[in-house]
Amino acid sequence: MSGSANPATLSGTLTALIDPVRPPHGQVPVVFADPRSRREVPLGELLSRATHVAGGLRRLGVRPGEAIAAQLCNREETVILQFAALLLNAVLVPVVPVLGPADLTHILGDV
């Protein structure tokens, strides 16, 4: 996929679009930073970890179109889970970490 590809002309699933990115861009660093730390993780490593997580979720019974609710902060595990959901053709429902039990019950009842 070239940088000049028109998104309107792309076809297929998001998973099919991710796979060609692995070889040429696998060493591209993805930076995770906050006021106390900074970590660089190669894109290929994130995608490999996401593939592993997707396999585990599939074994747990997550199927295409199903929702995965997760209460995660802005960190690399969140990106891995987002990629895993894409690989499964599932839907990630991010839940704000500061919500209490009543709000979680309401949100999870809708998922």
Side-chain angles (χ1 to χ4, degrees):
M1 183 164 68
S2 73
S4 63
N6 179 350
T9 63
L10 297 175
S11 63
T13 65
L14 288 172
T15 304
L17 295 175
I18 288 173
D19 283 336
V21 170
R22 292 179 199 243
H25 302 291
Q27 293 305 311
V28 172
V30 178
V31 178
F32 297 92
D34 63 36
R36 296 179 307 273
S37 66
R38 182 179 193 281
R39 176 168 154 76
E40 290 186 12
V41 181
L43 178 60
E45 180 182 328
L46 290 173
L47 292 171
S48 292
R49 291 171 63 190
T51 301
H52 183 75
V53 170
L57 290 169
R58 188 177 296 112
R59 285 188 295 280
L60 288 171
V62 176
R63 299 292 173 247
E66 291 187 336
I68 303 167
Q71 197 170 29
L72 297 168
C73 297
N74 293 331
R75 40 186 299 145
E76 67 188 81
E77 290 84 359
T78 305
V79 173
I80 291 166
L81 186 56
Q82 289 172 333
F83 282 156
L86 288 173
L87 291 169
L88 289 170
N89 294 317
V91 178
L92 180 62
V93 179
V95 180
V96 180
V98 298
L99 296 181
D103 292 322
L104 286 175
T105 300
H106 176 73
I107 290 169
L108 294 176
D110 287 343
V111 171

